[in-house]
């Protein structure tokens, strides 16, 4: 992005946090739906990419079904943003009642044992609300990692936003972040990572909805090196103001094999858990970027340059 575009992007997100939180909730909901529908009707690159990703999740879906899913997906995505802009103004009671979680005992038992817990999530529904629920309802602080965004001031906004919700936020810069996460886990702490998209281009190859992609090795490596519990989490919306979630059973470290082999097995198990939640609620999977290896090959995707980079204003990944 140019300097002007970066300043515009930062200003728009700043405006969102400053103004949307002041709106009554029903007004914010209607605003989000209106923006989502207008974006969907334009059928720009983001909507087309969303439909391309949904085509893997719902094989054999007709163009009409994919269009229906992408409309619902954009509404879900804007619900995420409207909630996120308003979260700093939510009361503790609103946060506690904003999420119900199935099988949360997997998490609370691990925390009680002081073993250290890694929660790994895909881009489903509102992971920020889930984090705020953990710090509010469970009274448990945690550490997470944030992707470096451009402009830097926008990254600073996201860090301040998440720190205001009770999270410790580390920049995504490789070994330094990994070492800090490992220390938190060895102290019996909690680490939460969004882990369905590899940002390093050196992740672990997995089979995801029948095609190869890469997912980050970090969650599996942290569990191996620290003895922490690795728990997949999936989230979804229904027709109520309450988000739903599920903590899946722990992914165990294989008893034998090299570190790379163990990491591969565990990351595939994580991908399988993510796929279960995404298949059940595809419209709540906010994956507006290329994910599968076939889509990441420029030679096979002549539209690649037309969609811009992952740092375009419409593609900011929090």
């Amino acid at each position: 992005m140019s300097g002007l575009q970066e300043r515009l992007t930062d200003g728009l997100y700043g405006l969102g946090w400053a103004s949307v939180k002041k709106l009554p909730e029903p007004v914010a909901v209607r605003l989000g739906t209106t923006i989502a529908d207008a974006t969907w009707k334009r059928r720009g690159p983001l909507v087309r990419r969303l439909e391309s990703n949904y085509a893997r999740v719902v094989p054999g879906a007709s163009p009409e079904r994919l269009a229906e899913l992408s409309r619902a997906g954009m509404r879900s995505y804007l619900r995420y943003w409207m909630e996120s802009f308003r979260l700093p103004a939510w009361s503790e009671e609103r946060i506690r009642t904003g999420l119900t979680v199935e099988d949360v005992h997997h998490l609370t038992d691990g925390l009680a044992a002081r073993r250290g817990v890694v929660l790994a999530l895909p881009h489903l529904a509102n992971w920020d609300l889930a984090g705020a629920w953990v710090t509010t309802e469970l009274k448990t602080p945690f550490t997470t990692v944030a992707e470096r965004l451009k402009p830097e001031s926008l990254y600073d906004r996201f860090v301040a936003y998440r720190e205001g919700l009770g999270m410790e936020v580390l920049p995504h810069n490789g070994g330094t972040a990994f070492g800090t996460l490992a220390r938190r886990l060895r102290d019996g702490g909690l680490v939460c990572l969004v882990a369905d998209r590899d940002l390093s281009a050196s992740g672990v190859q997995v089979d995801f909805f029948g095609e190869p992609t890469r997912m980050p090795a970090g969650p599996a490596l942290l569990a191996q090196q620290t003895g922490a519990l690795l728990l997949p989490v999936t989230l979804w919306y229904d027709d109520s103001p309450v988000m739903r979630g599920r903590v899946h059973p722990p992914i165990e470290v294989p008893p034998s094999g090299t570190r790379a082999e163990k990491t591969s097995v565990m990351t595939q198990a994580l991908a399988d858990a993510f796929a279960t939640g995404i298949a059940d609620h595809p419209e709540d999977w906010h994956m507006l970027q290329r994910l599968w290896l076939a889509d990441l090959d420029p030679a096979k995707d002549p539209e690649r340059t037309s969609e811009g980079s992952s740092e375009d204003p419409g593609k900011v990944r929090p």
Side-chain angles (χ1 to χ4, degrees):
M1 287 189 290
S2 67
L4 177 60
Q5 287 176 315
E6 289 181 355
R7 291 193 296 273
L8 177 60
T9 300
D10 181 50
L12 288 173
Y13 282 95
L15 179 63
W17 269 301
S19 59
V20 174
K21 67 182 179 183
K22 298 177 182 178
L23 298 175
E25 190 160 349
V27 175
V29 170
R30 288 196 298 272
L31 175 62
T33 300
T34 299
I35 295 172
D37 287 350
T39 303
W40 177 78
K41 287 178 182 177
R42 287 200 299 269
R43 293 200 53 79
L46 294 181
V47 173
R48 297 198 303 272
R49 175 55 52 191
L50 193 61
E51 289 183 5
S52 176
N53 290 338
Y54 286 160
R56 266 66 172 247
V57 177
V58 189
S62 66
E64 293 77 16
R65 173 59 176 152
L66 291 175
E68 179 184 85
L69 278 173
S70 67
R71 184 179 189 182
M74 291 307 299
R75 287 184 172 188
S76 176
Y77 186 53
L78 264 294
R79 175 173 171 175
Y80 161 81
W81 279 112
M82 293 298 108
E83 287 179 348
S84 294
F85 287 144
R86 291 175 51 77
L87 261 176
W90 279 16
S91 67
E92 288 192 359
E93 179 64 17
R94 178 67 180 89
I95 292 172
R96 283 196 296 269
T97 60
L99 171 64
T100 60
V101 184
E102 299 173 10
D103 298 327
V104 72
H105 66 89
H106 292 306
L107 170 58
T108 54
D109 290 350
L111 293 172
R114 298 293 296 168
R115 180 178 171 182
V117 177
V118 180
L119 293 182
L121 307 86
H123 286 85
L124 272 170
N126 192 336
W127 45 98
D128 286 329
L129 172 55
W133 184 88
V134 167
T135 61
T136 303
E137 174 67 14
L138 301 184
K139 305 295 183 184
T140 302
F142 65 88
T143 305
T144 190
V145 174
E147 178 182 358
R148 281 284 186 185
L149 301 172
K150 292 183 180 181
E152 189 73 16
S153 55
L154 180 57
Y155 170 78
D156 292 340
R157 286 187 191 276
F158 275 106
V159 170
Y161 157 63
R162 291 195 168 113
E163 288 179 342
L165 298 176
M167 311 175 194
E168 178 187 22
V169 182
L170 306 176
H172 186 275
N173 59 356
T176 301
F178 187 92
T180 302
L181 295 173
R183 287 193 295 273
R184 300 292 183 268
L185 292 168
R186 290 191 181 102
D187 290 338
L190 176 63
V191 165
C192 299
L193 301 171
V194 179
D196 58 343
R197 177 171 169 254
D198 178 45
L199 297 177
S200 67
S202 60
V204 178
Q205 185 166 315
V206 297
D207 180 88
F208 196 52
F209 291 102
E211 292 190 41
T213 187
R214 287 188 297 266
M215 291 189 181
L221 287 172
L222 286 166
Q224 289 178 63
Q225 293 193 18
T226 67
L229 210 59
L230 175 55
L231 300 175
V233 176
T234 53
L235 306 167
W236 66 94
Y237 290 129
D238 58 19
D239 293 330
S240 77
V242 178
M243 186 172 70
R244 313 293 175 178
R246 178 190 174 199
V247 181
H248 295 251
I251 292 175
E252 302 293 342
V253 178
S256 62
T258 65
R259 184 173 73 168
E261 289 168 344
K262 292 178 181 179
T263 301
S264 178
V265 170
M266 295 173 72
T267 306
Q268 182 62 62
L270 200 61
D272 292 343
F274 291 168
T276 298
I278 293 167
D280 287 343
H281 305 279
E283 68 279 4
D284 292 324
W285 189 41
H286 307 151
M287 185 55 64
L288 282 77
Q289 293 92 353
R290 297 171 183 82
L291 183 72
W292 281 272
L293 299 188
D295 294 338
L296 294 170
D297 183 352
K300 297 179 181 179
D301 190 353
E303 292 188 359
R304 182 168 175 77
T305 56
S306 71
E307 288 190 24
S309 74
S310 63
E311 288 144 359
D312 285 350
K315 301 181 79 172
V316 167
R317 292 310 316 160

